[in-house]
Amino acid sequence: MERFIRKALVSIACFCLAAQAFAMNSFPDSFEGDVITQNMSDLERIYRFVDANFLYDIDYKKVYEAMATAMLDALDDQWTTYINSSESEQYEEMITGKYSGVGIMLSKTSIQNQKSDDERTLYVQVGTVFRGSPAQRSGLMTGDLITEIDGQAVREKNATECSKMLRGERGTSVHVRIRRGNVEFEVDIIRDEITTPTVESEMLPGHIFYIRINQFTQSTARQVRDAFRGIDYISSIILDLRNNGGGDVNSCLAVANLFLDEGNVLISTISKVKSRNRSHYSSAGTIIPVEANMVVLINKGTASAAEILSIALRDNGRAILIGEKSYGKGVMQYTSQYKDGVVNVTTAEYVSGSGTKVNKLGLSPDIEVLEDDMSDEEVEKVIEAQKSGDVREFVRKNPEYSIEAVERGVDELVVKYPMPRRAMASLLLLEYRNMSEKANSTIAYPMYDSALNKAISVIEKSLAANESVFDFIQEQEPKAAND
């Protein structure tokens, strides 16, 4: 079986399915008379001419990798890429989930796909900020844009280069410049050993089990299974896939198996070669009774494998979706090692069992709950509060973590630093997590999370009415249609 490597250096990852049983080395070495043969012949003539006449020494490996990169870049598909030998070395440590860095999932639009009027395509986008990581301790937030790393502009660099710049020996410092809205600030982050977390969970009041999946790796399904182990009773489940950029599709399908009975269509794939079109079905392995209510939280950062899981659960009548419209990445990549590099090629589009397309459309939630964006003035106040030390001073004077302590801190500090209460609560929670194991064990904060609060409300009301969440929202809530 081909060794598949997850492209984890971007938050919207590349994927492979075991069922896609084709490999580059299965193709013939040449196709006489076709356009590719002619192009390669012409290219070889140029290369031979350069080799015979170029004044200086030629780095043949560098030239080869540049040609491979240019060939895939010319396809104008941001997901189809060639990762050269020096960059591919990072894949092994991404598979193990351990490395030394700052603790974020980042994304960076390839240079040829950048748009000058969209700054999100120009800079590094901060996706998931790992809980307890150096990045979180330094105040980085999901949605921040990194414009410089150690004084070097990132605009002309790719995701891999930026990731390597953020990594380094444990205990060393990296200086980054951040743009949050129209506000820019700088921060020094002390690198540490990072173990990439993928699953976090917590039992909420009313036996509502909250579980968050940050990304899909080879071990995610096992981590999800472990999270449910030893729990006697669950009334309902809230699965949080917000800001989950995707990952390993096989892992995603394995997670779906944990929630669905055998024989349900999870996804169907549409390929260039019709013989490779197929549907993927759930298999035996359900660990939670299907009658338990289930809500999935999504937002604009929910992409690819996370969208596959979301639509599989909704289409099979297992869950409703609450939150914002998802990202809309409905294509898959075949990922393979080739010589010293790694090739990612878009090979298929996926649709749901009912035929719903996701690519460039996204998934519309059954109940829409928009995430509030802060004004520039409020962002300024957040940065001012971070730099002032007042938040840290409050936590120092009130070291015993509790929700009540956070509420007192919010009441006191928003007077001096006007901002949404949820924003001030996030700053306080960040400080408490840096010093309190109890704070780190608390995952969900419904009072500061509108979508989560809505999910709990819908579950509680449906249980009180002795109805499933599906029946309840049909009676009580307008259902969104997929655009």
Side-chain angles (χ1 to χ4, degrees):
M1 180 179 178
E2 283 287 324
R3 181 186 180 196
F4 297 109
I5 303 178
R6 180 172 51 87
K7 186 184 178 184
L9 302 180
V10 295
S11 61
I12 313 300
C14 296
F15 311 116
C16 62
L17 288 175
Q20 288 181 300
F22 61 93
M24 294 184 66
N25 57 18
S26 68
F27 297 150
D29 292 332
S30 64
F31 297 81
E32 292 186 6
D34 71 356
V35 65
I36 295 177
T37 301
Q38 184 60 55
N39 286 346
M40 295 307 295
S41 176
D42 293 342
L43 181 61
E44 181 181 2
R45 291 177 63 189
I46 296 173
Y47 199 176
R48 294 289 182 188
F49 175 79
V50 171
D51 186 45
N53 296 282
F54 186 61
L55 177 61
Y56 306 106
D57 292 338
I58 296 176
D59 184 334
Y60 294 102
K61 183 176 182 179
K62 182 178 180 180
V63 171
Y64 162 77
E65 293 189 330
M67 288 191 293
T69 299
M71 178 180 68
L72 295 186
D73 283 351
L75 298 177
D76 291 329
D77 173 42
Q78 67 185 109
W79 313 116
T80 296
T81 58
Y82 175 78
I83 308 298
N84 65 37
S85 57
S86 61
E87 296 169 341
S88 66
E89 294 175 0
Q90 296 185 53
Y91 276 82
E92 188 64 34
E93 62 185 48
M94 293 307 295
I95 289 174
T96 65
K98 292 185 178 181
Y99 62 96
S100 180
V102 302
I104 63 171
M105 288 292 290
L106 62 82
S107 63
K108 176 73 164 60
T109 302
S110 57
I111 296 174
Q112 70 273 14
N113 289 311
Q114 290 179 352
K115 299 178 181 179
S116 59
D117 60 346
D118 185 355
E119 66 177 9
R120 295 175 302 172
T121 70
L122 305 178
Y123 306 118
V124 173
Q125 295 186 62
V126 177
T128 301
V129 180
F130 300 158
R131 196 161 59 92
S133 68
Q136 188 187 60
R137 292 195 295 268
S138 298
L140 267 65
M141 297 181 179
T142 297
D144 283 348
L145 299 176
I146 299 177
T147 62
E148 294 181 8
I149 303 173
D150 280 335
Q152 297 186 47
V154 303
R155 182 167 178 170
E156 299 299 320
K157 299 183 183 298
N158 60 35
T160 303
E161 292 171 325
C162 295
S163 179
K164 290 176 69 175
M165 292 172 69
L166 291 171
R167 296 181 178 209
E169 187 176 347
R170 182 179 184 180
T172 59
S173 175
V174 59
H175 187 79
V176 296
R177 185 171 183 83
I178 305 296
R179 177 173 295 176
R180 188 177 295 164
N182 292 326
V183 179
E184 292 197 12
F185 59 99
E186 299 180 14
V187 63
D188 290 308
I189 306 175
I190 306 300
R191 300 181 179 98
D192 202 348
E193 182 174 281
I194 305 298
T195 299
T196 306
T198 63
V199 177
E200 300 172 289
S201 61
E202 180 182 359
M203 185 66 77
L204 302 179
H207 298 281
I208 299 173
F209 192 65
Y210 172 83
I211 182 166
R212 178 192 300 154
I213 302 178
N214 295 316
Q215 66 179 106
F216 292 95
T217 67
Q218 295 173 357
S219 65
T220 298
R222 174 185 57 77
Q223 293 182 49
V224 172
R225 184 182 290 275
D226 289 345
F228 283 95
R229 199 181 306 278
I231 298 177
D232 296 327
Y233 173 69
I234 293 175
S235 70
S236 308
I237 303 164
I238 298 175
L239 174 60
D240 194 342
L241 297 179
R242 291 175 295 179
N243 298 314
N244 181 325
D248 189 317
V249 169
N250 288 328
S251 176
C252 156
L253 299 182
V255 171
N257 285 333
L258 302 179
F259 297 104
L260 291 168
D261 285 334
E262 185 176 1
N264 292 283
V265 178
L266 301 178
I267 56 165
S268 297
T269 56
I270 303 172
S271 305
K272 183 177 184 179
V273 181
K274 290 185 177 180
S275 62
R276 296 193 187 119
N277 294 348
R278 65 197 66 210
S279 295
H280 301 267
Y281 295 84
S282 58
S283 58
T286 307
I287 62 173
I288 299 298
V290 293
E291 60 268 18
N293 277 323
M294 188 170 183
V295 173
V296 177
L297 302 181
I298 63 172
N299 67 359
K300 56 191 174 185
T302 304
S304 209
E307 290 174 297
I308 290 176
L309 179 57
S310 299
I311 200 169
L313 293 173
R314 180 167 72 177
D315 267 24
N316 287 292
R318 188 65 181 89
I320 63 169
L321 308 183
I322 292 180
E324 297 180 318
K325 179 178 283 191
S326 64
Y327 183 89
K329 181 180 183 287
V331 290
M332 299 177 183
Q333 284 66 47
Y334 176 78
T335 302
S336 178
Q337 286 183 307
Y338 187 69
K339 295 186 181 295
D340 293 333
V342 177
V343 175
N344 298 313
V345 179
T346 298
T347 59
E349 180 178 4
Y350 71 78
V351 297
S352 73
S354 64
T356 301
K357 289 191 173 185
V358 174
N359 198 44
K360 299 181 180 180
L361 297 174
L363 292 173
S364 294
D366 298 290
I367 301 175
E368 184 178 58
V369 179
L370 298 179
E371 297 178 0
D372 296 330
D373 292 326
M374 288 190 290
S375 67
D376 291 340
E377 291 76 14
E378 290 170 333
V379 171
E380 290 275 11
K381 289 298 181 182
V382 170
I383 297 170
E384 183 181 345
Q386 285 178 310
K387 291 183 174 181
S388 70
D390 289 344
V391 177
R392 183 170 297 141
E393 181 64 14
F394 175 87
V395 172
R396 188 187 67 80
K397 291 180 178 179
N398 301 270
E400 188 64 30
Y401 166 77
S402 67
I403 295 298
E404 291 74 21
V406 174
E407 283 285 272
R408 289 198 306 273
V410 171
D411 291 339
E412 178 180 317
L413 292 169
V414 293
V415 175
K416 184 175 181 180
Y417 305 100
M419 68 179 74
R421 293 181 64 84
R422 61 176 176 80
M424 181 58 73
S426 295
L427 297 180
L428 287 160
L429 289 168
L430 175 62
E431 289 298 328
Y432 274 114
R433 283 172 176 162
N434 288 338
M435 60 178 290
S436 169
E437 188 63 34
K438 182 179 178 182
N440 272 308
S441 65
T442 303
I443 310 300
Y445 294 92
M447 69 289 293
Y448 303 119
D449 187 334
S450 299
L452 176 57
N453 189 55
K454 183 65 174 180
I456 293 172
S457 174
V458 170
I459 287 173
E460 291 176 341
K461 290 178 181 177
S462 65
L463 290 175
N466 198 28
E467 294 180 323
S468 71
V469 288
F470 291 98
D471 293 337
F472 179 78
I473 65 168
Q474 287 175 0
E475 297 173 3
Q476 305 291 330
E477 303 283 351
K479 180 176 175 62
N482 219 42
D483 295 334

